[in-house]
Amino acid sequence: DGMNVLLIVVDDLRPVLGCYGDKLVKSPNIDQLASRSIVFSNAFAQQAVCAPSRVSFLTGRRPDTTRLYDFYSYWRVHAGNYSTMPQYFKENGYVTLSVGKVFHPGVSSNYSDDYPYSWSIPPFHPSTEKYENDKTCRGKDGKLYANLVCPVDVSEMPSGTLPDIQSTEEAIRLLDVMKTNKQKFFLAVGYHKPHIPLRYPQEFLKLYPLENITLAPDPWVPEKLPSVAYNPWTDIRQRDDVKALNVSFPYGPLPDDFQRRIRQSYYAAVSYLDMQVGLLLNALDDLGLSNSTVVVFTADHGWSLGEHGEWAKYSNFDVATRVPLMFYVPGMTTSSVSQGERVFPYLDPFSHASALVPQGRSKKAVELVSLFATLAELAGLQVPPVCPETSFHVALCTEGTSIVRYFNTSEEKNGCDDTYRCFNEEPVAFSQYPRPADTPQWNSDKPKLKDIRIMGYSMRTVDYRYTVWVQFNPNNFSANFEDVHAGELYMVETDPNQDYNIYNNTSHGVFFKKILD
């Protein structure tokens, strides 16, 4: 009969969660989901910015195939009429539903979140979304500002609510309708927080006393970081509270106390998100759907919290590209529960310590572009074929491969007898990031297609991250690997934070060959 699917996509969430070993963050509901799921500890987005990442994993194609590196084109017109994951489920008898931010709204999803191709009914957007960047943050002087750090009294907000609260309510309502109508569903729920502004109910600050908040372990710009690799966090500089600090462009550090406040608010926003996820999963229990629904939890990319002197996303570092990724599959990742037994009882972040251990944890390097094939396999649908080398004219195929084969983590052997074979077969995650110039400038974070001159292609395995920044022609979407502007190589075991670039003192021909393949 096939399972229902609940896909939860979070905006800008790096894996700062209890189930990923974070000792500070309180995320009991997501940790509870992890304890019943297979958790991937090395999962990566294809590009660390919202629209390109979402279009990539929702179509199962890489940014070079969707030809979307910014926010300003719709793949069906601009690249090829590719089927999407929800479209495929819809064509296979599912009611497909979108709540909140799933596709990036605007031209990149045809101003309709790709409705009616992808969704059975028009996507839902919270009515209060439009106030997201308004002056709703009360300063010490009592006036309202458009700040980065923005704890609020929810009752004072427009309509007395916040977008993610509205999204949870609508998602629960739709689950109820699906249950009543006995319809098989694919429900995607997109949460905004911890995307900036860091606007969340102020009581969550209580969970994170400022004296417990540390700076990033490496808050400096690494000495051997090529300037093309650095992102100057322009979107953050435009917020009222950051503007007032008058930080020098591009490398001027934020004051330490303000860095702590950003980190504090990011964590508080994550706990607020955890509460929403808890309420949503609790509703699956209430409706008796936990035994027949696959739950996937992930994010569109990560977010720097001061590492390398950087904030926001817009780079190829792990902090920007690495995402949480977990799959709860009834009967596969957990034994089926008996009638009436709760799988996801709601846990209050204010009273529950997170101490749950994930069911299974895979260290394999995996990519979000594999979501389409993986979910098709888990739902018992035919897995779309792997795309040919050029696939602009192929409507249904995927450039990611199903990762269901990694679900049995007990088979992950550490040793490998044939080094050459192991090197060639080890899973690799690819990410990329465009730049307008070799040095940081006002549009380095979000260059428009016509301004892109350099593309950073990055390859991450369990052991290393290798990146080459090469010349790129936006007119014909071509990268010239013979014109390398800069390179980076970081060894995970000795340099987990990617602070010591050893590209220039290593022979890297073997890595270069692999990135070309």
Side-chain angles (χ1 to χ4, degrees):
D1 189 24
M3 291 269 184
N4 301 310
V5 176
L6 172 59
L7 169 64
I8 303 170
V9 181
V10 186
D11 212 341
D12 291 14
L13 177 66
R14 57 191 263 161
V16 286
L17 299 163
C19 52
Y20 278 86
D22 194 292
K23 300 281 190 284
L24 187 65
V25 171
K26 294 180 172 52
S27 52
N29 294 289
I30 298 167
D31 298 344
Q32 175 171 257
L33 172 64
S35 75
R36 292 159 172 58
S37 301
I38 167 88
V39 174
F40 286 89
S41 51
N42 283 310
F44 298 90
Q46 274 45 76
Q47 192 181 320
V49 70
C50 307
S53 171
R54 289 161 187 266
V55 166
S56 170
F57 69 71
L58 288 163
T59 59
R61 319 268 184 141
R62 299 181 187 280
D64 281 346
T65 307
T66 65
R67 293 185 161 173
L68 181 70
Y69 315 103
D70 58 14
F71 298 81
Y72 308 106
S73 63
Y74 179 42
W75 78 91
R76 291 187 192 273
V77 174
H78 178 75
N81 189 18
Y82 313 141
S83 294
T84 68
M85 173 168 41
Q87 179 181 355
Y88 188 60
F89 275 80
K90 186 180 160 190
E91 287 163 358
N92 279 280
Y94 281 73
V95 176
T96 56
L97 308 157
S98 172
V99 170
K101 184 176 174 183
V102 180
F103 277 102
H104 191 84
V107 67
S108 63
S109 57
N110 203 31
Y111 300 101
S112 65
D113 298 75
D114 197 46
Y115 173 79
Y117 295 102
S118 288
W119 312 108
S120 304
I121 60 172
F124 169 86
H125 285 278
S127 61
T128 59
E129 217 174 68
K130 56 180 173 289
Y131 308 114
E132 199 59 1
N133 295 308
D134 287 8
K135 298 191 172 196
T136 51
C137 322
R138 203 166 289 290
K140 288 200 174 90
D141 57 6
K143 291 185 188 149
L144 292 175
Y145 294 92
N147 285 343
L148 171 64
V149 172
C150 187
V152 296
D153 176 342
V154 177
S155 66
E156 289 179 2
M157 291 298 101
S159 307
T161 187
L162 290 171
D164 284 345
I165 296 172
Q166 289 184 292
S167 290
T168 301
E169 289 164 355
E170 176 64 8
I172 292 171
R173 188 188 75 76
L174 288 170
L175 287 173
D176 194 27
V177 172
M178 292 298 106
K179 166 76 175 179
T180 308
N181 296 349
K182 297 188 168 54
Q183 286 174 300
K184 197 163 57 168
F185 62 84
F186 176 105
L187 168 62
V189 181
Y191 285 114
H192 278 94
K193 293 303 125 197
H195 193 287
I196 66 170
L198 297 168
R199 188 171 69 132
Y200 55 87
Q202 60 199 16
E203 57 271 24
F204 285 92
L205 271 177
K206 288 196 210 90
L207 295 173
Y208 303 100
L210 209 49
E211 60 270 21
N212 295 351
I213 307 294
T214 56
L215 296 179
D218 52 351
W220 63 87
V221 180
E223 201 177 306
K224 292 188 174 164
L225 180 72
S227 54
V228 69
Y230 182 80
N231 74 280
W233 36 282
T234 9
D235 57 346
I236 284 179
R237 296 170 192 273
Q238 288 153 10
R239 306 279 161 181
D240 291 348
D241 48 354
V242 180
K243 234 187 255 176
L245 297 168
N246 242 339
V247 182
S248 65
F249 185 90
Y251 299 114
L254 288 168
D256 286 4
D257 62 326
F258 196 76
Q259 292 196 35
R260 283 195 178 86
R261 287 187 52 223
I262 297 176
R263 289 167 70 91
Q264 175 193 38
S265 272
Y266 187 91
Y267 302 147
V270 171
S271 292
Y272 158 59
L273 159 79
D274 182 78
M275 178 182 260
Q276 301 310 313
V277 172
L279 294 168
L280 178 60
L281 294 176
N282 185 59
L284 274 187
D285 268 0
D286 287 346
L287 294 163
L289 292 166
S290 304
N291 240 350
S292 55
T293 305
V294 171
V295 181
V296 190
F297 178 89
T298 191
D300 54 357
H301 43 70
W303 212 76
S304 304
L305 281 168
E307 294 86 1
H308 316 114
E310 295 184 311
W311 300 88
K313 46 252 186 184
Y314 317 122
S315 83
N316 278 322
F317 281 118
D318 275 17
V319 279
T321 55
R322 186 168 165 246
V323 293
L325 178 62
M326 60 190 80
F327 297 84
Y328 159 78
V329 188
M332 183 190 229
T333 62
T334 51
S335 44
S336 290
V337 290
S338 50
Q339 202 56 41
E341 195 187 331
R342 296 194 79 80
V343 184
F344 303 119
Y346 174 73
L347 303 175
D348 181 351
F350 291 92
S351 54
H352 271 90
S354 310
L356 296 162
V357 188
Q359 267 294 100
R361 182 185 286 279
S362 172
K363 291 198 175 84
K364 297 268 195 251
V366 297
E367 322 174 88
L368 288 186
V369 76
S370 295
L371 264 182
F372 190 163
T374 305
L375 278 177
E377 182 173 343
L378 290 174
L381 305 180
Q382 197 169 348
V383 178
V386 173
C387 292
E389 191 143 335
T390 356
S391 62
F392 295 108
H393 304 296
V394 185
L396 179 66
C397 67
T398 165
E399 293 180 325
T401 49
S402 169
I403 57 174
V404 174
R405 64 190 187 283
Y406 299 147
F407 278 31
N408 186 353
T409 52
S410 59
E411 288 173 17
E412 288 201 12
K413 297 181 183 65
N414 291 333
C416 198
D417 45 4
D418 173 350
T419 314
Y420 181 75
R421 182 179 61 77
C422 298
F423 179 77
N424 277 341
E425 286 177 11
E426 71 179 326
V428 177
F430 293 98
S431 304
Q432 61 190 97
Y433 212 86
R435 293 279 187 242
D438 285 303
T439 51
Q441 52 188 53
W442 66 272
N443 64 341
S444 287
D445 291 351
K446 294 192 274 192
K448 289 186 172 170
L449 174 63
K450 66 178 174 55
D451 298 322
I452 297 171
R453 295 292 172 271
I454 302 161
M455 188 67 74
Y457 288 95
S458 199
M459 178 169 81
R460 175 70 152 80
T461 69
V462 166
D463 300 316
Y464 61 84
R465 178 175 285 287
Y466 172 73
T467 306
V468 281
W469 297 89
V470 302
Q471 189 242 331
F472 184 83
N473 181 341
N475 302 317
N476 60 7
F477 304 93
S478 67
N480 178 4
F481 282 87
E482 285 172 15
D483 184 0
V484 177
H485 287 229
E488 298 169 78
L489 177 60
Y490 306 100
M491 304 314 285
V492 173
E493 198 176 337
T494 51
D495 181 21
N497 299 329
Q498 298 165 15
D499 294 322
Y500 303 100
N501 178 12
I502 58 168
Y503 178 86
N504 284 337
N505 40 1
T506 318
S507 100
H508 35 75
V510 65
F511 302 114
F512 190 68
K513 184 177 175 300
K514 193 163 176 173
I515 216 164
L516 288 177
D517 292 346

